[in-house]
Amino acid sequence: MSGQLKNEVNNSSEPTLKKFAEIKNKHIGIATQSYYVNDAQYASVLTREFDILTPEYQMKMGQVQPQQGVFDFGEADKLVSFARKNNMLIRGHALIWHQSLPDWVVNGHFTKEQWIQIMKDHITKTVSHFKGEIYAWDVVNEAFYQNGAFRPTVWYDNIGPEYIDLAFQFAHEADPNAKLFYNDFDTEVTNPRSNAIYKMVTGMKARGVPIDGIGFQTHLKIEGVDYSEMKKNLKRFGDLGLDTDITEMDIVTHTFAGTQEERLQAQAKVYSGVIQVAMSLPSCKSVVFWGLKDGNSWLNKYTGFSEYPLLFDNNYDKKPAYEATLNQLKL
Ligand code: XIL
């Protein structure tokens, strides 16, 4: 097998994450970019281990509508065709967010009616473009502060809290078959933000607004994860009939005192605990990690430290976090 890329050979007997996730009727995936999947080794590990992917940023408004009325789906289309070719699902991310916005929105001055039309046009054009290709959309992302107050975004400030109902209605009209999610971070346990989301979705369901799930981003530290609290919190949303998916999981390591090996072992324990919660909940249909290998992680820029947050190291070797995740999927 000279010249074979490491990890390229995947005999069918080799245990993989997606093989065991499938047995539990769950999907497991990563966030990725069109530039990454051109690398043969990256694509080999991605398609061997995972059956769902999320465009890390190439479906966001700043990418797909850089100028008002001018849409560019080029890079996102490459990811969609990669997923289709490899029989993978796609999580669309994210239609309405306060970040990754084009300048014409950030600096825009419009009437409330015009802002509603802008939001409708963006959602309708984007969702229609990918109609039939998207398993689930993150329709609204990060609409609440940690204290449970509405985040003052360009959408909230110019339309009001009803922007959320409207966004979900527009998305449903454009693709009635896509699951529609609200997505946020630091919501894994009961706290003011997850309580605000619970109140919001209870109202949405009472008003007949189409919503199918809550995305729990699950960006964690090694310390302080309360798994039983997490299970209780996700279950209360599941009891509303909503999917409760893990959408962006990673675990920073720089905050944990210890040797690198101690850090990676402690990290693996957290992956194990969270995956155990996810597998125990029928409402959790998918788990997505926010990247494939440590060097791909956004956290290296976001925290300013070297982070080792994901399942694979930069040589595509499986870390203790991978083995811990696989062992939970095998149970
Ligand atoms: C991040 C991406 O990883 C970066 O590449 C991009 O520059 C900024 O956005 N919560 C989210 C994701 O919902 O969209 C963010 O992704 C990480 C935090």
Side-chain angles (χ1 to χ4, degrees):
M1 281 192 285
S2 62
Q4 285 281 9
L5 290 168
K6 187 163 64 163
N7 287 318
E8 186 179 345
V9 174
N10 171 33
N11 57 57
S12 59
S13 62
E14 180 184 357
T16 70
L17 298 176
K18 72 175 180 181
K19 271 184 195 168
F20 286 99
E22 193 178 353
I23 293 167
K24 295 182 183 304
N25 198 24
K26 310 270 188 185
H27 298 292
I28 193 157
I30 59 156
T32 189
Q33 303 177 19
S34 61
Y35 313 113
Y36 292 161
V37 300
N38 296 331
D39 177 286
Q41 195 165 8
Y42 181 102
S44 167
V45 175
L46 168 53
T47 54
R48 182 190 77 209
E49 298 289 343
F50 302 105
D51 71 343
I52 190 168
L53 63 81
T54 303
E56 186 173 0
Y57 71 94
Q58 289 167 318
M59 280 188 185
K60 292 172 180 173
M61 193 174 189
Q63 292 294 314
V64 299
Q65 194 182 171
Q67 296 161 55
Q68 186 168 10
V70 178
F71 289 82
D72 175 3
F73 297 111
E75 294 307 320
D77 283 340
K78 289 176 189 170
L79 276 179
V80 170
S81 54
F82 176 87
R84 193 189 304 118
K85 195 171 66 179
N86 292 287
N87 196 26
M88 298 179 79
L89 299 177
I90 293 229
R91 292 198 87 260
H93 176 82
L95 292 170
I96 297 298
W97 191 29
H98 63 285
Q99 293 189 31
S100 301
L101 291 171
D103 288 344
W104 67 268
V105 169
V106 175
N107 305 318
H109 299 287
F110 304 99
T111 65
K112 175 175 176 177
E113 290 65 32
Q114 287 170 330
W115 279 112
I116 292 172
Q117 193 61 48
I118 285 166
M119 190 172 74
K120 181 171 186 176
D121 291 346
H122 179 68
I123 291 172
T124 304
K125 184 83 174 178
T126 304
V127 174
S128 302
H129 178 83
F130 296 109
K131 186 171 182 178
E133 304 275 5
I134 303 297
Y135 164 74
W137 275 106
D138 289 332
V139 177
V140 174
N141 194 32
E142 304 181 1
F144 292 98
Y145 271 156
Q146 189 59 36
N147 66 3
F150 279 106
R151 186 188 294 273
T153 70
V154 67
W155 312 109
Y156 179 82
D157 292 345
N158 291 297
I159 298 172
E162 64 266 34
Y163 85 91
I164 297 174
D165 280 15
L166 288 168
F168 277 83
Q169 284 157 354
F170 297 154
H172 181 70
E173 285 160 18
D175 186 351
N177 297 318
K179 288 189 178 211
L180 305 180
F181 274 67
Y182 173 80
N183 191 53
D184 214 327
F185 68 98
D186 285 354
T187 57
E188 294 76 28
V189 295
T190 302
N191 61 34
R193 179 180 273 148
S194 62
N195 285 338
I197 296 166
Y198 189 84
K199 183 175 172 215
M200 174 188 74
V201 292
T202 305
M204 289 172 78
K205 291 182 78 66
R207 293 188 296 275
V209 177
I211 180 168
D212 303 292
I214 304 297
F216 297 86
Q217 291 183 13
T218 316
H219 296 295
L220 300 175
K221 295 186 296 186
I222 290 173
E223 306 86 344
V225 183
D226 186 332
Y227 306 110
S228 61
E229 258 308 303
M230 182 176 184
K231 181 166 183 174
K232 265 167 48 182
N233 178 51
L234 269 64
K235 187 177 181 304
R236 66 169 171 161
F237 288 93
D239 290 346
L240 293 177
L242 294 165
D243 291 357
T244 58
D245 291 15
I246 307 289
T247 52
E248 306 184 13
M249 186 169 182
D250 48 30
I251 303 176
V252 294
T253 47
H254 84 269
T255 60
F256 187 82
T259 65
Q260 183 65 356
E261 184 53 26
E262 287 165 342
R263 274 180 174 167
L264 296 182
Q265 291 300 336
Q267 180 190 55
K269 286 196 174 66
V270 179
Y271 269 108
S272 179
V274 171
I275 299 300
Q276 184 179 32
V277 169
M279 294 302 113
S280 74
L281 293 166
S283 59
C284 181
K285 305 294 196 326
S286 70
V287 174
V288 172
F289 306 103
W290 207 245
L292 179 67
K293 60 189 175 81
D294 289 334
N296 297 147
S297 174
W298 71 298
L299 289 170
N300 290 301
K301 286 201 192 92
Y302 186 71
T303 69
F305 293 87
S306 295
E307 297 292 354
Y308 305 87
L310 298 166
L311 300 188
F312 292 87
D313 70 18
N314 290 332
N315 299 318
Y316 296 99
D317 288 329
K318 299 169 182 175
K319 295 163 55 183
Y322 173 95
E323 300 301 344
T325 299
L326 182 67
N327 289 339
Q328 279 300 334
L329 293 174
K330 281 179 174 178
L331 293 181

